[in-house]
Amino acid sequence: MRYKVKSLNVGRIETLTYGKRTFESAIRKQSVSEPIFLSKTGLKSDEQAYEYHGGEDKALCLYSYDYYPYWKNVVHHFSETALFGENLTVEGLKEDNAHIGDIFSFGEAIIQVSEPRNPCYKLAEKYEVPDMVVRMRDTGYTGFLFRVLKEGVVSVNDDLVLLEPDAQKVSVASVNEVKFFDRFNKEKLEKVLAVKALSESIRVPLLKQYQSDKTNEWS
């Protein structure tokens, strides 16, 4: 399977003010047309304001261009580029057909799906949509993250090519389901936790959910 990269985006950390909030963020990413080096920690010239937004398990953030039409009628200041501060805007690859552990080629690089993206309040502030986090959670349109298995030069003209689908076929959507909704379903959690490629940052809280004697509830 091949998936077209609509835009390749990088950003620098800025001090931003939206409404009553001021914060550090690199959310205002811009598309780049020239080839760029992708390292274990992300694209050259791309920055992350906080540790939990970056690191080797979160080197690249992808958001599906398929969802842009939905958000066009929701957000203020709509943009066709890096709408949610993602590095990769890609057509056709979504949470329901991307699986934790799936390996793709991207230009010279090799990347692997590691975890869903966690919706952030900064998006709500930027786009003046107070319930943005809830909308992303409830629709499942969160985006997801990659680790880099092999560094190399990439460009917007390079497709994402599925090289090796993960044998357990646990979709990003399935992880979102146990993360947000079916939180104490032992069977579903077991299946998710069995995926070796799952990032430790999400494995730890999911393991706590699995070990809990609670029943399903939103908190």
Side-chain angles (χ1 to χ4, degrees):
M1 294 292 294
R2 304 179 71 93
Y3 300 94
K4 180 176 175 53
V5 176
K6 183 79 173 177
S7 65
L8 180 62
N9 316 301
V10 299
R12 296 288 192 181
I13 296 172
E14 307 171 273
T15 300
L16 303 174
T17 299
Y18 292 113
K20 296 180 180 180
R21 291 211 193 198
T22 298
F23 48 79
E24 299 289 305
S25 179
I27 198 171
R28 295 202 310 172
K29 298 193 187 301
Q30 301 293 321
S31 62
V32 291
S33 56
E34 70 276 6
I36 189 169
F37 185 72
L38 174 60
S39 75
K40 291 281 188 178
T41 54
L43 294 165
K44 184 180 179 181
S45 302
D46 190 50
E47 296 181 343
Q48 302 293 340
Y50 299 101
E51 182 179 353
Y52 58 81
H53 280 168
E56 291 193 3
D57 281 343
K58 304 178 183 183
L60 279 178
C61 178
L62 179 149
Y63 201 81
S64 178
Y65 187 71
D66 298 42
Y67 301 145
Y68 272 50
Y70 168 82
W71 294 111
K72 193 167 188 176
N73 297 318
V74 175
V75 305
H76 298 264
H77 323 299
F78 181 82
S79 171
E80 286 283 345
T81 301
L83 183 64
F84 291 118
E86 71 270 16
N87 302 116
L88 291 169
T89 312
V90 177
E91 297 177 353
L93 188 58
K94 302 179 293 181
E95 292 78 3
D96 59 358
N97 66 349
H99 304 88
I100 305 298
D102 282 354
I103 296 174
F104 295 81
S105 66
F106 178 37
E108 295 178 351
I110 305 294
I111 61 178
Q112 182 181 47
V113 180
S114 57
E115 67 172 273
R117 179 185 186 171
N118 197 42
C120 177
Y121 76 88
K122 295 177 184 179
L123 298 171
E125 298 296 329
K126 179 180 180 181
Y127 290 121
E128 301 175 29
V129 181
D131 65 343
M132 175 68 79
V133 171
V134 174
R135 282 177 178 266
M136 295 182 82
R137 183 193 78 200
D138 290 353
T139 58
Y141 301 167
T142 60
F144 47 96
L145 303 169
F146 291 84
R147 63 175 58 89
V148 177
L149 302 181
K150 176 179 176 290
E151 299 179 331
V153 176
V154 300
S155 83
V156 70
N157 298 314
D158 296 321
D159 292 339
L160 289 191
V161 181
L162 181 61
L163 295 181
E164 185 180 333
D166 190 83
Q168 291 168 286
K169 294 190 178 302
V170 172
S171 68
V172 174
S174 295
V175 181
N176 277 334
E177 184 179 359
V178 294
K179 180 180 177 183
F180 294 126
F181 301 107
D182 209 1
R183 299 181 66 226
F184 302 102
N185 186 311
K186 299 289 189 184
E187 184 178 352
K188 291 181 180 179
L189 282 165
E190 279 181 359
K191 189 174 181 181
V192 170
L193 290 167
V195 181
K196 292 181 179 179
L198 186 69
S199 296
E200 280 302 303
S201 61
I202 191 169
R203 181 182 298 279
V204 171
L206 291 183
L207 183 59
K208 288 181 180 179
Q209 287 174 211
Y210 178 75
Q211 294 171 337
S212 171
D213 57 2
K214 293 182 180 179
T215 57
N216 282 315
E217 58 186 14
W218 170 250
S219 60

